[in-house]
Amino acid sequence: MPVRPDPADSADHGTSADHGISADEDVFVEYGGVGEAGAPVVEVGPSGEVEWERPVRTYLWQSLVATLLCCLPTGAIALVYASIAQNRLQLGDVRAARQASARARRWCIVSLITFVVVLLTYVVAVVILVAIAHDRA
């Protein structure tokens, strides 16, 4: 849940001042969840220090493009992992969302590489067939 640091709380309890967040900054802090509108996610480590992390990307639109334009089987796998990442983010399970996001990204890359290999194979085959047809004519 997003929490806006309160200057009164930071003076009394040391919440935002101890973590390097000034009280006058307009910052949304969320512990163990996803920030709003690309805001950084903050997690408190075992030593009590704040660790700034990037928001988790779901690769949903990339996997959709990979499914529709690149390679259907591998793009569909990427789409499944992207939707799992989205669901895990909504549940607040950041670690599982990061794992599913990494797998979605990997399958998007596999889809792109497969598309390029198939396209190059097709172009080479057409060039060879045209050369053979030109020699016979």
Side-chain angles (χ1 to χ4, degrees):
M1 297 181 167
V3 177
R4 185 177 297 252
D6 187 14
D9 287 343
S10 64
D12 295 337
H13 306 291
T15 55
S16 62
D18 290 342
H19 300 301
I21 301 171
S22 68
D24 17 336
E25 289 182 38
D26 189 23
V27 178
F28 280 98
V29 179
E30 188 165 326
Y31 294 94
V34 180
E36 295 179 358
V41 175
V42 178
E43 291 185 4
V44 178
S47 65
E49 295 182 15
V50 173
E51 301 169 358
W52 291 89
E53 296 183 6
R54 291 185 180 165
V56 179
R57 295 179 60 184
T58 60
Y59 294 97
L60 194 57
W61 73 266
Q62 293 95 333
S63 60
L64 187 61
V65 169
T67 302
L68 296 176
L69 299 179
C70 293
C71 181
L72 183 66
T74 57
I77 295 171
L79 193 59
V80 167
Y81 280 120
S83 65
I84 290 172
Q86 182 74 28
N87 290 339
R88 296 297 183 241
L89 279 176
Q90 290 174 353
L91 293 174
D93 189 1
V94 177
R95 180 173 291 161
R98 287 193 190 283
Q99 290 175 349
S101 173
R103 289 179 180 154
R105 180 177 184 266
R106 184 178 311 131
W107 283 104
C108 285
I109 292 171
V110 168
S111 294
L112 181 64
I113 290 171
T114 303
F115 174 71
V116 168
V117 167
V118 168
L119 184 66
L120 288 176
T121 304
Y122 178 75
V123 168
V124 168
V126 167
V127 167
I128 290 173
L129 289 175
V130 167
I132 290 173
H134 187 326
D135 286 344
R136 290 190 180 189

